[in-house]
């Protein structure tokens, strides 16, 4: 009976804990914040951090820098090495293609504001004025 109970407890893993174990977020609190902000969805529906994850659930995950569409392959509440964490899910082909396109776009067309370091200097302001006046 204890074996069956242990097996059932293994299947009852909260989504915030699973996201942390699968290494989508560095901490559980970051995973909880993302869920609360609606950046994690199961089958297109927003969820709460206490929702249990099931095998074959389709998750949409946005951690701020990347977006994944994954299908849960295994349940775990233990955070292990990255190669083990990758066995917990399968990423969809569309998600892989989209992430590759986004990576290429970021490399070819970097965000212009990344070059700006704080407040413009007097020289920068004069250069901006020259561009605007032309």
């Amino acid at each position: 009976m204890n074996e069956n109970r242990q097996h059932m407890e293994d299947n009852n893993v909260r989504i915030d804990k699973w996201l942390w174990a699968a290494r989508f977020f560095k901490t559980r609190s970051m995973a909880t914040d993302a869920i609360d902000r609606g950046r994690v969805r199961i089958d297109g529906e927003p969820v709460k951090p206490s929702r249990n994850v099931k095998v074959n659930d389709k998750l949409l995950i946005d951690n701020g820098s990347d977006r994944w569409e994954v299908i849960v392959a295994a349940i775990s509440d233990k955070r292990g090495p990255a190669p083990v964490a990758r066995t917990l899910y399968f990423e969809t082909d569309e998600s892989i293609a989209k992430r590759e396109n986004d990576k290429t776009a970021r490399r070819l067309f970097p965000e212009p504001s990344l070059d700006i370091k704080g407040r413009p200097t007097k020289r920068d302001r004069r250069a901006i004025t020259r561009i605007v006046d032309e």
Side-chain angles (χ1 to χ4, degrees), residues 66-86:
D66 286 320
R67 287 185 173 166
W68 290 277
E69 186 175 309
V70 299
I71 298 171
V72 177
I75 306 294
S76 176
D77 63 348
K78 304 280 189 276
R79 186 174 173 105
V84 174
R86 280 188 223 106

Side-chain angles (χ1 to χ4, degrees), residues 57-68:
D57 277 348
K58 187 175 186 181
L59 302 178
L60 301 171
I61 305 163
D62 179 2
N63 74 350
S65 60
D66 286 320
R67 287 185 173 166
W68 290 277

Side-chain angles (χ1 to χ4, degrees), residues 98-118:
K98 184 166 178 9
R99 284 193 317 112
E100 286 299 320
N101 288 341
D102 291 347
K103 188 188 300 184
T104 304
R106 281 194 301 265
R107 187 171 39 84
L108 295 176
F109 307 107
E111 184 67 34
S113 63
L114 293 177
D115 295 336
I116 299 172
K117 306 274 191 277

Side-chain angles (χ1 to χ4, degrees), residues 1 4 6-7 11 15 27-28 38-39 47 51-52 62 64-65 83 109 112:
M1 178 129 174
N4 192 19
Q6 181 66 31
H7 182 37
N11 288 336
I15 187 165
T27 63
R28 272 186 69 189
R39 293 181 175 174
V47 294
R51 165 86 153 55
N52 288 337
D62 179 2
S65 60
F109 307 107

Side-chain angles (χ1 to χ4, degrees), residues 7 30-31 44 50 70 86 92 113 115 126 128 131:
H7 182 37
M30 290 173 77
S50 61
V70 299
R86 280 188 223 106
T92 62
S113 63
D115 295 336
R126 287 181 177 163
I128 291 168
I131 292 171

